[in-house]
Amino acid sequence: MKTLLTNCKIINHDKTLTKNILIEDGIIKSLTDDTPSTDKTYDLKGKMVLPGLIDMHVHFRDPGLEYKEDIISGSYAAAAGGVTAVCPMANTKPVNDNAFITKYMVDKGKELGICDILPVGAVTKGMHGEELTEMGDMFSAGACAFSDDGKPVLGSDVMRRALEYVSGFGGMILSHSEDKQLAGEGVIHEGEVSAITGLRGIPSETEEIMIARDILLAKLTGGHVHICHISTRYGVELVRWGKSKGLNVTCEVTPHHFSLTDKELLSYDTNCKMNPPLRSADDVKAMKEGLMDGTIDCIATDHAPHSRDEKFQEFDLAPFGITGLQTLVPLTLNLVREGIINENDFSRLCSYAPARLLRLKGRGVIEEGALADIAVIDPDREYVFDSKLNKSKSTNTPYMNKTLKGLCVLTFKNGKEVYKADI
Amino acid sequence: MSYSRKDLLGMIDLSKEEILHLLDTAENFREINHRDVKKSPYSQRKNSCETFSFENSTRTRTSFEIAGKRLSADTVNFSASASSTAKGETLIDTVHNIEAMSTDIFVVRHAYSGAVKFIAENTKASVVNAGDGLNEHPTQSLLDMLTIKQHKGRLEGLNVAIIGDITHSRVARSNIWAMPKVGINLRLFGPKTMLPRCTDPFGAKICSNMEEAVEGADVIMTLRIQRERQGKLLLPSVKEYARYFGLNAARLKLSNNAIVMHPGPINRGVEISSEIADCGQSVILPQVESGVAVRMAVLYTLGTGQRGIEQ
């Protein structure tokens, strides 16, 4: 099977080039100016052609909570967002804390074949924060990293041993950095809006205290700590400091944390309730600064589907989290339009960097020999993100029925067309 | 002057004109409460009224119930502990069930901030917020202002001090939004553990000690210390609270012959000394009386649409 993509404006992390892409047997055979005869040809003139996006942080709720999402619906949402590989977190039911569940997730993804499932194994058994999981076995079964995401690893002794142990396998710990005691019963960022609304606050320091601890544990162990969903100015400062000292720390930011502020909560909208919460305008500015100077390594969505019933209740009772796979492209393109990052940075932050962090071979770049995982984006396309376009089982996003700009129009996984926008 | 909203959810939404309209209406009703036959000759068009309690509430509920009855409304009580919410029914399903029985006005108390607004957005009935979490308690604010007007003859230009747990008080929040709109100068004081880290949105003066808070004040409102809820972290002891944050005779002397208010129930000897609670400057019981008039005004206004009382 040969496929030719013509007139491609190929956007890699380091350069942009205009070529035709020849795909053969799922692999990028060559970047060429020729137009050899193939089974299928796509003219991609005027589109952005990026290496398939890699989302290091999603919740696919499978096994156990399939009413919110499963690996199939999640994969379709990923493909529709230009994402060809995802790292589903371990807070499934039961928890992904053993090779059996890891293998189940990988296999289910392979069977469908539209998005690579690279599971994140739990750090501790049952995510209880006490005993280490069999990380070696999970690694062998296809886990890409380890995290108790949704919860922090509260014990510094446990985090220390986890970092030491996993570094022996060349892995990393994705840290949901949160001081649970300081967070208390908080449901939104502690600041002006919590003072106004009477919704209990989660101080920025809740996150920063644990980021500081985790960076220092990277210093103690030499292990790789990757800070999940960073959201505060001082959090970014701490990572910047850690990097300046040569410590083994990286971090990610979600599109909502660089796009929205806690002002959204003045309406008590449960679709703006997530953890970490939407922060202040100054924090949003700090996210952009972190993206500009490279302190923030990558963008990940923290795609967290919840059913309508779960979000349709009292604010305090609604679960934390919003979906994000299909809003990654338009929100990141907003940064390009604002001049915060350029198109190559987009390619780096959403594909190249996560591929390097996860040590994935043949991904993150469009080049000869790489997997033909490709996202085709129409950057100027304006559309309403509605339930017809939404592929997730859930609709819990503040962007539902909003006008967005920048649409993934085609996605290829291993050279196969796995998504085509029909609007 | 009119009030044309479907609901009364919070003082943060109301204009000065709307507030004054409700207070004027309440003044008319207060007069009825002094008659031998305490029944309003003015009845609501919509007169089926339901009080919901999703949090313990006795005095506010009773006050609303009396107000409803004096307007000849059919009032029914519903409390969550005795209802299906305890059986897992969602809040909005419960509301729709009661609505299906043709209720015109819901009076709702709920333990979570924003929950009353959530109900209002999902029912055609008019909704009155009788206290939602830490957020607002608008009829308390209205009755506070009615009481102040009654005793001081005006609102504009008065200095009002609110003292206590500002962060966790819906009474404080409603007054913080409402009082400056009618020209009141507001000052706040309490232990640092009970003041939000960010008080800028309040636009009120934050005092640094009791003396500063009460000096020259025309009205001093002390808030209830909720010992059962606040645990040991916000406050080391009630004895210490009384010493640094309580209102006593010596402190009251610094004021401008202030009236003393409290949303009740009071903790004698904690936020307010017994002597002060019972003194001539205390208007705690007149506040309760104003409460019925204010709630009549609110139920009447929502139940009749925009009309004022036809004299």
Side-chain angles (χ1 to χ4, degrees), chain B residues 11-211:
Chain B
M11 302 307 286
I12 198 166
D13 305 321
L14 301 196
S15 67
K16 178 181 179 180
E17 289 67 34
E18 287 171 312
I19 293 168
L20 294 178
H21 173 70
L22 290 172
L23 291 177
D24 287 348
T25 310
E27 275 185 338
N28 289 318
F29 279 116
R30 192 169 54 205
E31 182 265 323
I32 290 164
N33 290 329
H34 288 280
R35 294 184 191 166
D36 291 340
V37 178
K38 297 176 176 57
K39 278 278 184 191
S40 166
Y42 319 109
S43 67
Q44 302 156 271
R45 224 170 349 101
K46 300 175 185 171
N47 65 352
S48 163
C49 175
E50 182 93 15
T51 64
F52 271 100
S53 302
F54 294 96
E55 183 186 77
N56 286 339
S57 157
T58 313
R59 53 193 63 222
T60 301
R61 197 190 67 204
T62 306
S63 177
F64 268 107
E65 217 181 318
I66 290 171
K69 288 188 195 308
R70 288 193 186 158
L71 289 167
S72 304
D74 297 326
T75 62
V76 183
N77 287 316
F78 176 97
S79 61
S81 54
S83 82
S84 33
T85 49
K87 297 174 192 162
E89 188 178 58
T90 69
L91 179 62
I92 298 304
D93 283 341
T94 304
V95 168
H96 286 164
N97 266 281
I98 310 291
E99 190 181 2
M101 297 181 232
S102 301
T103 301
D104 299 316
I105 302 177
F106 290 138
V107 175
V108 189
R109 154 88 40 118
H110 200 291
Y112 293 124
S113 301
V116 180
K117 175 177 179 286
F118 179 50
I119 290 173
E121 287 166 351
N122 288 285
T123 176
K124 291 191 193 73
S126 289
V127 175
V128 181
N129 184 355
D132 65 321
L134 316 181
N135 183 32
E136 285 231 35
H137 192 356
T139 57
Q140 177 73 40
S141 169
L142 288 166
L143 76 84
D144 288 340
M145 289 188 287
L146 186 67
T147 311
I148 293 170
K149 210 174 161 198
Q150 184 188 1
H151 287 86
K152 291 288 182 183
R154 64 190 167 109
L155 296 171
E156 185 123 20
L158 293 179
N159 295 311
V160 175
I162 302 180
I163 294 155
D165 186 350
I166 306 297
T167 303
H168 302 96
S169 171
R170 52 194 172 210
V171 176
R173 246 180 214 85
S174 280
N175 278 321
I176 284 166
W177 308 133
M179 287 182 165
K181 288 179 187 171
V182 297
I184 285 171
N185 306 312
L186 200 56
R187 31 175 120 159
L188 309 172
F189 179 59
K192 287 283 187 191
T193 49
M194 297 179 174
L195 280 164
R197 175 166 145 199
C198 180
T199 52
D200 298 350
F202 293 168
K205 183 183 176 196
I206 309 297
C207 299
S208 44
N209 56 57
M210 265 308 262
E211 286 64 32

Side-chain angles (χ1 to χ4, degrees), chain A residues 183 185-189 199-202 273-274 277 315-316 320:
Chain A
E185 293 174 332
V187 287
I188 69 168
H189 174 60
L199 291 169
R200 289 174 197 270
I202 303 172
K273 179 180 178 183
M274 72 286 287
F315 193 91
D316 284 73
F320 291 100

Side-chain angles (χ1 to χ4, degrees), chain A residues 12 21-22 27-32 362 365-371:
Chain A
N12 276 331
I21 302 174
L22 177 64
I27 305 290
I28 296 172
K29 179 82 174 169
S30 65
L31 305 182
T32 172
V365 187
I366 293 180
E367 63 187 6
E368 281 180 21
L371 291 184

Side-chain angles (χ1 to χ4, degrees), chain B residues 190-239:
Chain B
K192 287 283 187 191
T193 49
M194 297 179 174
L195 280 164
R197 175 166 145 199
C198 180
T199 52
D200 298 350
F202 293 168
K205 183 183 176 196
I206 309 297
C207 299
S208 44
N209 56 57
M210 265 308 262
E211 286 64 32
E212 187 190 354
V214 299
E215 196 174 350
D218 301 297
V219 177
I220 301 170
M221 181 185 302
T222 55
L223 300 173
R224 173 177 167 76
I225 286 303
Q226 305 197 336
R227 280 177 285 188
E228 67 282 7
R229 276 199 213 163
Q230 285 151 349
K232 295 271 183 273
L233 274 179
L234 299 184
L235 192 66
S237 73
V238 293
K239 189 182 102 204

Side-chain angles (χ1 to χ4, degrees), chain A residues 104-171:
Chain A
Y104 158 82
M105 293 165 80
V106 172
D107 289 349
K108 193 163 176 181
K110 271 190 186 146
E111 199 181 321
L112 185 67
I114 67 171
C115 178
D116 286 329
I117 303 293
L118 312 167
V120 175
V123 174
T124 63
K125 286 180 187 156
M127 291 178 42
H128 296 310
E130 288 157 9
E131 296 171 71
L132 294 190
T133 55
E134 293 169 333
M135 295 188 219
D137 276 357
M138 282 191 280
F139 234 142
S140 302
C144 66
F146 298 90
S147 181
D148 280 358
D149 182 67
K151 291 184 188 176
V153 178
L154 277 178
S156 299
D157 52 345
V158 179
M159 190 64 158
R160 173 205 176 155
R161 297 305 178 196
L163 277 165
E164 285 174 345
Y165 190 75
V166 81
S167 64
F169 295 91

Side-chain angles (χ1 to χ4, degrees), chain A residues 74-334:
Chain A
S75 295
Y76 279 116
V83 175
T84 54
V86 294
C87 305
M89 287 293 168
N91 59 343
T92 47
K93 232 175 168 177
V95 168
N96 177 22
D97 61 0
N98 62 73
F100 183 81
I101 294 174
T102 303
K103 187 166 183 307
Y104 158 82
M105 293 165 80
V106 172
D107 289 349
K108 193 163 176 181
K110 271 190 186 146
E111 199 181 321
L112 185 67
I114 67 171
C115 178
D116 286 329
I117 303 293
L118 312 167
V120 175
V123 174
T124 63
K125 286 180 187 156
M127 291 178 42
H128 296 310
E130 288 157 9
E131 296 171 71
L132 294 190
T133 55
E134 293 169 333
M135 295 188 219
D137 276 357
M138 282 191 280
F139 234 142
S140 302
C144 66
F146 298 90
S147 181
D148 280 358
D149 182 67
K151 291 184 188 176
V153 178
L154 277 178
S156 299
D157 52 345
V158 179
M159 190 64 158
R160 173 205 176 155
R161 297 305 178 196
L163 277 165
E164 285 174 345
Y165 190 75
V166 81
S167 64
F169 295 91
M172 64 177 153
I173 302 287
L174 315 178
S175 176
H176 171 112
S177 302
E178 180 186 9
D179 181 332
K180 279 287 189 194
Q181 284 173 314
L182 190 56
E185 293 174 332
V187 287
I188 69 168
H189 174 60
E190 183 168 323
E192 286 195 8
V193 179
S194 65
I196 292 170
T197 56
L199 291 169
R200 289 174 197 270
I202 303 172
S204 297
E205 288 75 7
T206 297
E207 179 172 334
E208 292 152 359
I209 285 168
M210 287 297 259
I211 290 177
R213 183 205 71 167
D214 291 336
I215 292 172
L216 294 172
L217 288 174
K219 169 171 167 276
L220 173 66
T221 62
H224 180 179
V225 173
H226 176 83
I227 308 296
C228 293
H229 43 52
I230 199 160
S231 74
T232 75
R233 173 171 288 280
Y234 278 78
V236 175
E237 288 270 342
L238 287 163
V239 172
R240 192 175 284 128
W241 174 83
K243 288 185 166 187
S244 76
K245 297 292 175 192
L247 302 176
N248 204 354
V249 57
T250 54
C251 69
E252 72 195 23
V253 66
T254 71
H256 48 272
H257 285 119
F258 64 64
S259 302
L260 300 172
T261 68
D262 61 345
K263 292 272 187 291
E264 303 291 328
L265 279 317
L266 287 169
S267 66
Y268 299 85
D269 182 356
T270 57
N271 283 334
C272 290
K273 179 180 178 183
M274 72 286 287
N275 187 18
L278 296 177
R279 303 280 187 190
S280 71
D282 182 60
D283 292 306
V284 169
K285 190 162 166 270
M287 295 309 111
K288 292 178 177 174
E289 289 164 10
L291 286 163
M292 283 168 91
D293 74 3
T295 302
I296 297 175
D297 298 86
C298 63
I299 295 170
T301 66
D302 195 4
H303 177 82
H306 291 292
S307 76
R308 180 182 174 275
D309 288 347
E310 287 169 311
K311 282 290 195 180
F312 192 66
Q313 54 179 336
E314 296 91 319
F315 193 91
D316 284 73
L317 302 180
F320 291 100
I322 65 169
T323 60
L325 279 164
Q326 288 182 256
T327 44
L328 169 64
V329 165
L331 297 183
T332 306
L333 279 171
N334 284 342

